Amino acid sequence: MTARVQSVLNEVEYIVGYKTYIDLIRPFITHQEVVATGMRQEIDRCREAIRLAGEGHRVAVVSSGDAGVYGMAGIIIECMEQAGLMDLPLEIIPGVTAASAAASMLGAPLMHDFAVISLSDLLTPWEVIEKRVRLAAEGDFIFAIYNPKSQGRTQHIETVREILLQYRRPDTPVGLVREALRGDESSVLITNLAEFTNHPIDMLTTVIVGNSQTRIVGPYMVTSRGYKL
């Protein structure tokens, strides 16, 4: 946690967030009142945070990773617009998104152009996601895949694998990182495109699929930037 985040948490009166993310920062909660809600209640959280801020309270909204990457920053601004409170002071503090966190544990797989794609179809139609996967695969982008698999959504990652195999070698390196940079709970595995779906994958896993220049160097997954050595 950065010094700025700690400073903000110390300054606010209310902390609003998803219950799981609130639990991650419990050691840093002292005097603040906590407003915690469950999964898929993002709009309710944002509206409550804006209501409190509109009353003059100092409020922090907790987001995982980077608030501006699949996080809460966008919906906060949209809810401020809806409430007619665009004059509220807002500070968005950047964090470490899962792609960067996972890459740091694998070596250096994101050293060239890459695409970040979420396989969750709750807010984006699967047809749109599949089209983006296909186009990024054709362009030889490295992939950082978020939300790859859930109990009710098991086939999407298999479809992605089949699409990628049309454009790159079966032995293309693939990294699986679960709960990246979350201490002892983190796990790292380097496998390949042909076999990676044989390993455990869930919503807490970040999948990084290499491009045509990605290779295994010792214990690391590395994509060449193009330097002539």
Side-chain angles (χ1 to χ4, degrees), residues 88-103:
L88 283 176
L90 172 67
E91 179 181 4
I92 300 171
I93 302 175
V96 180
T97 189
S100 298

Side-chain angles (χ1 to χ4, degrees), residues 115 117-120 126 128-138 141-149 153-168 174 193-194 196-197 201 207-210:
I117 296 180
S118 170
L119 299 193
S120 173
W126 171 244
V128 174
I129 297 170
E130 187 174 359
K131 179 180 179 181
R132 291 172 178 171
V133 168
R134 193 174 300 278
L135 291 172
E138 183 178 355
F141 283 82
I142 306 155
F143 278 72
I145 301 174
Y146 288 34
N147 306 314
K149 189 175 182 180
R153 177 173 43 78
T154 60
Q155 189 57 37
H156 288 356
I157 191 66
E158 297 289 352
T159 302
V160 168
R161 173 182 163 277
E162 292 168 6
I163 293 171
L164 288 169
L165 282 169
Q166 297 174 27
Y167 296 93
R168 45 196 82 169
V174 174
L193 184 57
F196 81 95
T197 57
I201 296 174
V207 180
I208 296 187
V209 182

Side-chain angles (χ1 to χ4, degrees), residues 33-82:
E33 186 169 336
V34 173
V35 179
T37 61
M39 188 177 291
R40 302 186 188 180
Q41 297 180 37
E42 293 87 355
I43 294 175
D44 292 341
R45 288 199 292 276
C46 288
R47 286 175 174 165
E48 179 62 9
I50 291 165
R51 184 189 69 80
L52 291 167
E55 293 177 353
H57 299 289
R58 297 177 67 88
V59 184
V61 177
V62 177
S63 182
S64 66
D66 186 313
V69 182
Y70 298 124
M72 297 297 290
I75 191 173
I76 280 285
I77 295 172
E78 290 177 315
C79 286
M80 287 169 60
E81 178 188 34
Q82 185 184 65

Side-chain angles (χ1 to χ4, degrees), residues 181-194:
L181 299 184
R182 290 189 181 176
D184 294 338
E185 297 179 357
S186 297
S187 64
V188 181
L189 174 70
I190 296 178
T191 178
N192 60 59
L193 184 57

